[in-house]
């Protein structure tokens, strides 16, 4: 049954050699998930291990809701990394999830030539990704000749990404000349919206938000990197880009812009129940909203 609700009551520790597919029944990850997974703020800790695919255990396709989950990853090495939605699409909602740790993408010698994907939330987003944060660093071992597409949120976007932060670094290198890396969307913003997203990580391509804009809308996105030469995107053939600039500091004006920018449904991140602020050290964070705005319907 893919309509079930799964609620975490405590943290989960996955030892070396084990995979998360063991927490759901066999074959579950091959079906479209239509239910609700609520981590209630708990953390799944994953021990150091080699995987063919990472975190392919909850579902391959999400049409439900996955929320309030934290992940602490200890030195994962993998040929393909796709975390929350294991193999392919998010057609539902993924919100308020945090990823922490390090992963190395290793490539087999004389590889097949198709791109290896290192991505934090899903490969293709058709639904909504709301208030998620990536702190995972992505590296590669430099072997093989496979191209790599690497992004903390998704590879290609057709839906809505709003209020997401990447603090992780991406440093990938292979024998193949094709390497697509960006702070939010690795390859194409085909349609939909990327709104109120922030990159503070060091990205090898120096592309802060999306590699290619081929439709849709990208607005009120910011980056704050120590290196020079960063830009919001690499190329644009269609769509719109507005108010996407470097932020030397998280001023009240910028935080207000992040909190009030609207997506394609005319909703702000506060309408979804979250807001940007800074912690005591001045770090930009996103937290449940303290404003009077109620949490809007997610779909």
């Amino acid at each position: 049954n893919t309509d079930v609700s799964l609620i975490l009551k405590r943290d989960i520790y996955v030892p070396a050699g084990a995979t998360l597919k063991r927490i759901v029944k066999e074959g579950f990850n091959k079906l479209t998930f239509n239910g609700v997974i609520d981590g209630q703020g708990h953390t799944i800790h994953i021990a150091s291990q080699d995987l063919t695919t990472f975190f392919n255990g909850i579902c391959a396709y999400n049409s439900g809701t996955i929320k309030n989950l934290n992940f602490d990853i200890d030195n994962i090495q993998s040929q393909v990394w796709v975390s929350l939605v294991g193999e392919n699409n998010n057609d539902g909602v993924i919100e308020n999830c945090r990823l922490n740790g390090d992963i190395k993408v290793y490539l087999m010698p004389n590889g097949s030539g198709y791109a290896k994907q290192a991505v934090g939330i899903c490969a293709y987003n058709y639904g909504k990704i709301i208030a998620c944060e990536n702190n995972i660093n992505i590296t590669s071992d430099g072997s093989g000749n496979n191209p790599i597409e690497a992004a903390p949120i998704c590879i290609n976007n057709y839906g809505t990404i709003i209020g997401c932060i990447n603090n992780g670094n991406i440093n990938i290198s292979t024998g193949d000349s094709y390497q697509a890396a960006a702070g939010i969307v690795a390859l194409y913003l085909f349609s939909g919206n990327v709104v109120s997203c922030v990159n503070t990580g060091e990205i090898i391509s120096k592309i802060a938000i999306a590699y290619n804009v081929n439709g849709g809308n990208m607005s009120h996105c910011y980056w704050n990197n120590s290196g020079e030469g960063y830009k919001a995107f690499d190329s644009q053939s269609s769509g719109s880009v507005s108010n996407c600039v470097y932020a030397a500091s998280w001023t009240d004006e910028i935080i207000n812009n992040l909190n009030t920018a609207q997506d394609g449904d005319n909703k702000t991140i506060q309408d979804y129940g979250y807001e940007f602020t800074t912690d005591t050290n001045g770090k930009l964070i996103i937290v449940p909203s303290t404003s009077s705005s109620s949490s809007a319907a997610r779909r």
Side-chain angles (χ1 to χ4, degrees):
N1 184 354
T2 62
D3 298 323
V4 298
S5 293
L6 301 176
I7 299 175
L8 269 66
K9 298 293 187 178
R10 59 180 176 83
D11 289 1
I12 293 176
Y13 293 83
V14 182
T19 62
L20 281 174
K21 66 178 61 177
R22 295 180 183 176
I23 70 172
V24 295
K25 67 181 183 180
E26 188 67 25
F28 189 58
N29 65 311
K30 296 181 175 64
L31 303 175
T32 298
F33 178 73
N34 298 304
V36 176
I37 298 172
D38 187 351
Q40 297 193 114
H42 290 292
T43 300
I44 297 177
H45 304 268
I46 305 174
S48 178
Q49 55 189 286
D50 282 7
L51 299 173
T52 302
T53 59
F54 165 61
F55 194 38
N56 198 17
I58 282 186
C59 56
Y61 302 87
N62 175 52
S63 290
T65 298
I66 302 172
K67 62 182 180 179
N68 306 326
L69 277 171
N70 300 317
F71 298 91
D72 188 3
I73 300 164
D74 179 17
N75 189 29
I76 298 296
Q77 298 187 60
S78 175
Q79 290 185 50
V80 183
W81 174 40
V82 180
S83 62
L84 291 179
V85 177
E87 294 175 356
N88 215 312
N89 296 351
N90 172 52
D91 292 307
V93 175
I94 300 174
E95 67 172 288
N96 195 31
C97 294
R98 304 288 183 271
L99 302 130
N100 302 290
D102 295 279
I103 185 164
K104 178 180 286 186
V105 181
Y106 64 86
L107 305 175
M108 302 305 292
N110 301 315
S112 63
Y114 65 85
K116 300 294 186 179
Q117 295 179 336
V119 53
I121 302 298
C122 62
Y124 303 92
N125 177 50
Y126 294 86
K128 291 187 176 183
I129 302 175
I130 304 165
C132 291
E133 179 180 304
N134 176 70
N135 300 299
I136 287 178
N137 300 311
I138 304 172
T139 60
S140 64
D141 64 359
S143 67
N145 61 358
N146 300 89
I148 296 180
E149 299 166 354
I153 305 301
C154 72
I155 297 299
N156 295 314
N157 183 66
Y158 299 82
T160 293
I161 302 174
I162 184 169
C164 293
I165 302 175
N166 173 53
N167 298 313
N169 302 323
I170 300 178
N171 187 8
I172 55 173
S173 178
T174 74
D176 194 284
S177 59
Y178 171 65
Q179 298 171 48
I184 303 296
V185 180
L187 198 52
Y188 289 106
L189 169 56
F190 278 114
S191 59
N193 299 270
V194 176
V195 179
S196 296
C197 289
V198 172
N199 174 63
T200 70
E202 299 298 334
I203 312 298
I204 191 171
S205 66
K206 296 188 181 297
I207 306 301
I209 308 300
Y211 206 86
N212 294 294
V213 179
N214 280 52
N217 170 60
M218 187 167 78
S219 69
H220 294 91
C221 295
Y222 300 88
W223 60 95
N224 187 342
N225 311 87
S226 60
E228 296 180 356
Y230 277 81
K231 52 187 178 180
F233 59 90
D234 182 67
S235 63
Q236 178 182 7
S237 59
S238 61
S240 64
V241 176
S242 61
N243 300 299
C244 296
V245 297
Y246 168 77
S249 62
W250 304 119
T251 64
D252 290 343
E253 180 182 2
I254 289 176
I255 291 176
N256 180 68
N257 290 340
L258 288 167
N259 285 330
T260 59
Q262 295 181 331
D263 64 12
D265 294 324
N266 297 319
K267 294 178 181 177
T268 69
I269 191 62
Q270 289 180 326
D271 290 328
Y272 290 108
Y274 303 92
E275 65 183 6
F276 286 90
T277 186
T278 53
D279 64 14
T280 56
N281 296 316
K283 179 183 177 181
L284 188 72
I285 57 175
I286 189 161
V287 297
S289 178
T290 58
S291 72
S292 58
S293 299
S294 60
S295 181
R298 298 296 195 246
R299 298 186 182 277

